[in-house]
Amino acid sequence: MGATPNMDGFMLLLQHPILHRYRILVPINDNPASYSATTTFVSMASLAKRFLDLIPGRDIIRPYLYPPLKEHRDIRTIGLLNTTGNDLECILHHGRLDGLQYKCLSYVWGKPEISSRIIVRDQDSSKILGYIPLTKNLYSALKDIRDTTEVDDKTLWVDQISIHQEDSDEKGRQVELMGEIYRHALAVIMHIGPAAAHDAEGIKLIRILYDHLEPCIQPILDMSWYMAYRRSKPLPVEHLPKSVTLNHPGWPGLLDMAFGTWTERSWIVQENVVNPNTFMLRGQKKLDWICVATMLVLFGVELLPLELLREIRESGRKKASLDCYIDAVSRSLEIKFRKSRPSVPAALAFFLSLCENLEWYDALECADSRDHIYSIMALSTDRRKLGLVPNYNIPVQEVYIDATVRMLTTDESIHHFHYVSLLDNLSDPLYPSWSLTPKLLGRQHFLDHVLYAAHPFRSTVFRFDSKYSELTVRGHIFDRITFASPGNLVKGSTFWAVPELENATRLVMELSAFALTLKMTSTTRQNISQLLISIIAEKYRNSPESRIRNDPVLSLWCYLRISWLVIARNYNSLPEYVQDLVPSIEEMINNVAQLAGKEDHPGLTEEELEIGNMINGEKITYGRSFGVTEQNRIVNFTFKASVGDSLALLQGGRLPFVLRQARDKFQFVGDVCVPGLMYGEAYKGLPPENIDREICLI
């Protein structure tokens, strides 16, 4: 007689997705009178389980049956039992959120396939109540927490276990509470993966670098890592310790921990920042969250050597540009530091609206698109005003449209339009063009709407149709696009750690758009001035810097010259189709040089180099097109715009916008910079009530 089969292993095998994908027609009762009424399709896994149930004497551990949570603020926690080996066991506790003591586990779900399980026992551990399936990553995290000596009490709240994943109603209610669940926890344990051979050296190096560069952290966060990268102010420390070289054995471990998959998840943002006591667990080793997170920001400001990131950047392991993750982590650090200051009221620690947070964290991932909204609600200043309640029973598009309608009605403005400009808001008929969508369009420059006041009315009244497919606003259509250059949409960062050859290619595409635009009008001082104002989106008006304003022709020449130096150095390595664009750029530069009086002086003085670099730091060109309008304006608009689109000023909006006519209605396309109309000039001496009319957006 053969050996007794391993039934627990067989039960895990039955959870494999392929056995749930194929379905078989089987009878559901013993009456064959009506075949169609007495048969149904079941999965191969379900059928196999039926046969297993017929084996005499077999002790089957069945899936755990979740008792319902009785009250709205009830939660479940798990107490990890001190088992050994590969088996995980726990006790589930039910109670009021504010009546339980627990730690929260933050981890990366990873692949959704179920590969492990945890056994649930009754309160005195004498009886098995069932099992809960686990993903590979969660099993690894729980096993490390069980075995580590660096975490004392092992009572945990774990989303995959504490929430009944098959109950959408419960899931929605628990997700609504997640900000409070994490805030109330004794601590948040962030598991960043199993131990690796290079961890010990990596952890030592993280500590050395943090101690050495710690004086820079607060100044960087105070001015934003982008401004620190530009060195708008000097940093207290600018060099690595002498003992740290590119050959230091700690770099592989540091990079693995600092740029791990934890940086990619949308949910981890909330889980990291709402609780002041957060630490990381790498295998069974406890790490300081701030020390590890700071490493990303130090790379961002080039205090750590960027050449070490080449392999990560070129491997394709990261779906988004590395600066997206630095953005998200620096923002989390900023919130952490603000919350730690006694002088900062708690309400001001999270100082961005839901729409602004969506923009900040939009490159982060989540398995369910609805969670792009739900995962950052607890961080948003307007969460209570909006009244959004997580609901996993409604389609994704309804969640996004509902969130958009709530933003419009509570703000009484269309400030969210600047973010819609960055999204794919035109290709999916399920979404009206004025709505937020979960579809991104890559890294783009954008107009910072808070700098402008194109329409004098900051708020307005809207009207929706009964299906929320149409939005009626009041505004004024004032021009139409007659020429649009090709859009300059880029992959990767818009400014940070861009390889020079890639930067040269981008510059050729950018300058080619300038050349085409000037060719459609003429290279006059007035047109050059309009083009420069479009390139930097009139930002100089908010700065004491006057050199650009006083001589726009010379200023543009300075920028063209520093760009040309990069192009010339890399010309022979450029693709042929890019090289073909260079002669028109050279002709434009010569024309501008002649007007600037620089045709015989191709070199740059120190002041001219500074002006060129200033424009390079302020330009709004990636993801943008340049064009000409019926009224001979040179404008800078979203690359989604086309010839024939209209330009409009809308009540409640700070920017001019591009609209696309669809019979007697319009689609919202995106934003546009129109020199001379960014600060209410169109309404000077003209009351909006006399000019604006109703415009229906679909």
Side-chain angles (χ1 to χ4, degrees):
M1 186 172 177
T4 303
N6 183 338
M7 289 302 174
D8 286 350
F10 192 72
M11 291 298 290
L12 284 175
L13 176 63
L14 292 181
Q15 297 167 29
H16 195 284
I18 197 168
L19 295 184
H20 293 266
R21 186 179 305 154
Y22 295 102
R23 309 179 80 80
I24 301 172
L25 192 66
V26 298
I28 59 174
N29 60 45
D30 296 326
N31 180 8
S34 173
Y35 187 75
S36 62
T38 57
T39 60
T40 188
F41 283 96
V42 300
S43 69
M44 291 173 66
S46 298
L47 188 62
K49 287 177 183 177
R50 293 188 189 184
F51 284 107
L52 281 175
D53 290 347
L54 299 177
I55 299 175
R58 192 175 73 83
D59 183 18
I60 300 173
I61 301 178
R62 299 181 181 278
Y64 178 70
L65 297 177
Y66 280 87
L69 296 171
K70 296 178 182 179
E71 303 292 337
H72 177 71
R73 293 180 61 81
D74 282 1
I75 63 171
R76 301 182 186 92
T77 60
I78 73 165
L80 272 180
L81 296 178
N82 189 25
T83 55
T84 57
N86 293 326
D87 294 330
L88 290 175
E89 296 186 5
C90 71
I91 297 171
L92 281 184
H93 306 288
H94 295 209
R96 295 274 292 179
L97 187 161
D98 47 9
L100 296 173
Q101 290 195 331
Y102 57 91
K103 298 179 179 73
C104 281
L105 175 60
S106 175
Y107 63 103
V108 176
W109 271 54
K111 295 181 179 179
E113 288 82 7
I114 300 300
S115 60
S116 305
R117 69 179 185 180
I118 188 169
I119 301 298
V120 182
R121 290 188 174 273
D122 64 2
Q123 295 301 306
D124 61 6
S125 304
S126 62
K127 180 181 178 182
I128 293 177
L129 302 179
Y131 73 87
I132 296 173
L134 304 177
T135 58
K136 178 182 177 180
N137 283 4
L138 178 54
Y139 173 78
S140 173
L142 290 174
K143 194 166 178 293
D144 281 336
I145 292 173
R146 182 199 67 182
D147 296 340
T148 184
T149 59
E150 300 194 29
V151 177
D152 45 13
D153 180 50
K154 297 177 183 180
T155 302
L156 307 170
W157 187 92
V158 186
D159 56 2
Q160 199 176 133
I161 299 173
S162 299
I163 300 174
H164 185 193
Q165 297 297 320
E166 303 302 318
D167 185 340
S168 295
D169 291 332
E170 179 184 300
K171 187 177 178 182
R173 292 191 298 270
Q174 290 286 286
V175 168
E176 184 182 6
L177 290 173
M178 276 182 66
E180 290 187 67
I181 291 171
Y182 275 83
R183 194 175 296 115
H184 179 73
L186 298 174
V188 174
I189 306 170
M190 183 177 170
H191 188 264
I192 61 170
H198 49 224
D199 283 358
E201 290 291 344
I203 291 168
K204 289 180 187 176
L205 181 58
I206 288 171
R207 190 75 252 179
I208 291 170
L209 293 172
Y210 184 85
D211 290 344
H212 180 73
L213 296 170
E214 192 271 339
C216 300
I217 297 171
Q218 192 64 64
I220 290 170
L221 296 177
D222 284 344
M223 69 175 114
S224 85
W225 81 270
Y226 168 74
M227 296 306 295
Y229 167 77
R230 296 287 184 194
R231 293 299 191 272
S232 61
K233 294 180 182 178
L235 295 174
V237 182
E238 288 281 0
H239 303 287
L240 294 176
K242 291 181 179 180
S243 62
V244 177
T245 67
L246 287 175
N247 297 319
H248 193 286
W251 288 119
L254 181 152
L255 292 171
D256 196 18
M257 287 180 271
F259 287 92
T261 52
W262 68 271
T263 60
E264 302 168 13
R265 268 193 67 230
S266 181
W267 274 110
I268 278 183
V269 175
Q270 173 180 271
E271 296 164 4
N272 283 340
V273 302
V274 298
N275 191 298
N277 186 17
T278 302
F279 62 88
M280 289 180 171
L281 200 67
R282 172 73 165 192
Q284 298 174 33
K285 183 69 177 176
K286 187 176 179 180
L287 307 175
D288 186 292
W289 183 91
I290 288 179
C291 284
V292 178
T294 299
M295 296 300 109
L296 280 87
V297 180
L298 295 176
F299 273 112
V301 299
E302 294 192 13
L303 286 175
L304 301 184
L306 292 184
E307 51 263 49
L308 293 169
L309 302 183
R310 184 177 296 111
E311 191 274 331
I312 297 176
R313 190 167 54 231
E314 296 175 356
S315 67
R317 296 201 308 266
K318 295 288 189 182
K319 292 184 179 179
S321 171
L322 290 183
D323 64 312
C324 295
Y325 307 119
I326 296 172
D327 269 348
V329 172
S330 68
R331 168 75 177 140
S332 299
L333 277 168
E334 185 181 350
I335 295 173
K336 281 272 194 188
F337 274 79
R338 286 173 65 88
K339 285 170 67 68
S340 68
R341 293 181 185 177
S343 60
V344 178
L348 294 181
F350 310 120
F351 56 90
L352 296 182
S353 67
L354 175 61
C355 183
E356 291 167 327
N357 276 325
L358 283 170
E359 183 179 335
W360 201 280
Y361 299 116
D362 61 6
L364 302 187
E365 301 169 25
C366 46
D368 189 321
S369 294
R370 291 169 287 203
D371 286 334
H372 279 297
I373 290 176
Y374 298 155
S375 65
I376 55 174
M377 278 170 41
L379 304 181
S380 304
T381 54
D382 53 354
R383 60 189 181 279
R384 291 190 177 88
K385 186 169 63 171
L386 292 174
L388 278 169
V389 177
N391 186 344
Y392 292 91
N393 292 314
I394 61 176
V396 172
Q397 71 269 16
E398 289 188 27
V399 172
Y400 276 80
I401 294 170
D402 177 57
T404 307
V405 170
R406 290 172 184 268
M407 289 177 189
L408 285 163
T409 51
T410 56
D411 289 348
E412 296 183 345
S413 73
I414 52 175
H415 292 164
H416 81 286
F417 273 16
H418 81 280
Y419 180 50
V420 179
S421 295
L422 305 177
L423 304 175
D424 178 4
N425 61 317
L426 298 171
S427 67
D428 192 338
L430 292 175
Y431 294 86
S433 63
W434 46 267
S435 175
L436 301 174
T437 82
K439 300 179 180 181
L440 306 178
L441 285 173
R443 301 291 277 172
Q444 304 170 56
H445 284 151
F446 60 90
L447 300 177
D448 189 349
H449 69 113
V450 299
L451 299 178
Y452 306 103
H455 197 289
F457 285 3
R458 298 289 180 87
S459 62
T460 188
V461 178
F462 311 103
R463 189 172 70 250
F464 301 97
D465 69 335
S466 59
K467 297 180 180 179
Y468 293 105
S469 60
E470 296 181 358
L471 168 67
T472 300
V473 297
R474 293 188 65 82
H476 169 53
I477 294 174
F478 63 88
D479 210 340
R480 193 167 66 92
I481 297 172
T482 56
F483 167 76
S485 70
N488 189 20
L489 190 62
V490 301
K491 293 182 179 180
S493 173
T494 55
F495 69 92
W496 176 79
V498 180
E500 186 168 85
L501 180 58
E502 182 180 339
N503 188 37
T505 302
R506 293 181 182 186
L507 288 170
V508 170
M509 306 308 292
E510 176 186 304
L511 269 58
S512 174
F514 302 165
L516 285 170
T517 302
L518 287 175
K519 196 169 185 178
M520 294 302 297
T521 55
S522 57
T523 309
T524 64
R525 285 187 170 275
Q526 181 179 355
N527 288 338
I528 290 173
S529 178
Q530 278 198 79
L531 177 61
L532 177 62
I533 293 170
S534 292
I535 292 169
I536 60 175
E538 289 210 31
K539 287 185 181 179
Y540 66 81
R541 288 191 50 157
N542 299 292
S543 167
E545 177 57 57
S546 60
R547 287 173 291 181
I548 295 175
R549 180 172 63 245
N550 291 341
D551 197 341
V553 176
L554 177 62
S555 298
L556 181 60
W557 178 83
C558 294
Y559 174 63
L560 295 177
R561 277 297 300 167
I562 67 166
S563 301
W564 178 257
L565 294 175
V566 177
I567 294 170
R569 279 198 304 270
N570 295 275
Y571 178 81
N572 292 331
S573 301
L574 294 172
E576 186 176 349
Y577 77 94
V578 178
Q579 289 182 351
D580 291 343
L581 301 173
V582 171
S584 64
I585 294 172
E586 192 169 13
E587 180 184 354
M588 172 186 64
I589 293 175
N590 290 334
N591 290 337
V592 174
Q594 188 174 358
L595 286 174
K598 302 295 290 187
E599 63 269 33
D600 296 325
H601 305 280
L604 287 161
T605 66
E606 186 174 331
E607 182 182 16
E608 289 166 349
L609 185 64
E610 184 181 352
I611 292 173
N613 287 328
M614 190 184 309
I615 294 172
N616 186 54
E618 297 293 333
K619 67 182 181 182
I620 305 293
T621 57
Y622 297 147
R624 311 293 295 183
S625 293
F626 289 81
V628 183
T629 71
E630 281 184 344
Q631 297 187 27
N632 210 36
R633 295 184 172 101
I634 293 178
V635 292
N636 171 352
F637 42 76
T638 169
F639 77 99
K640 296 179 288 182
S642 303
V643 171
D645 288 346
S646 299
L647 308 186
L649 297 164
L650 303 177
Q651 292 185 11
R654 291 174 171 266
L655 299 167
F657 299 109
V658 181
L659 307 181
R660 182 166 298 157
Q661 190 151 11
R663 296 184 179 177
D664 59 338
K665 300 172 183 177
F666 293 86
Q667 287 182 302
F668 175 79
V669 178
D671 59 28
V672 56
C673 174
V674 184
L677 293 183
M678 301 300 289
Y679 297 93
E681 295 92 336
Y683 291 92
K684 192 172 183 180
L686 300 169
E689 299 90 339
N690 297 345
I691 301 175
D692 293 347
R693 63 177 180 86
E694 286 194 343
I695 298 173
C696 181
L697 303 177
I698 58 174

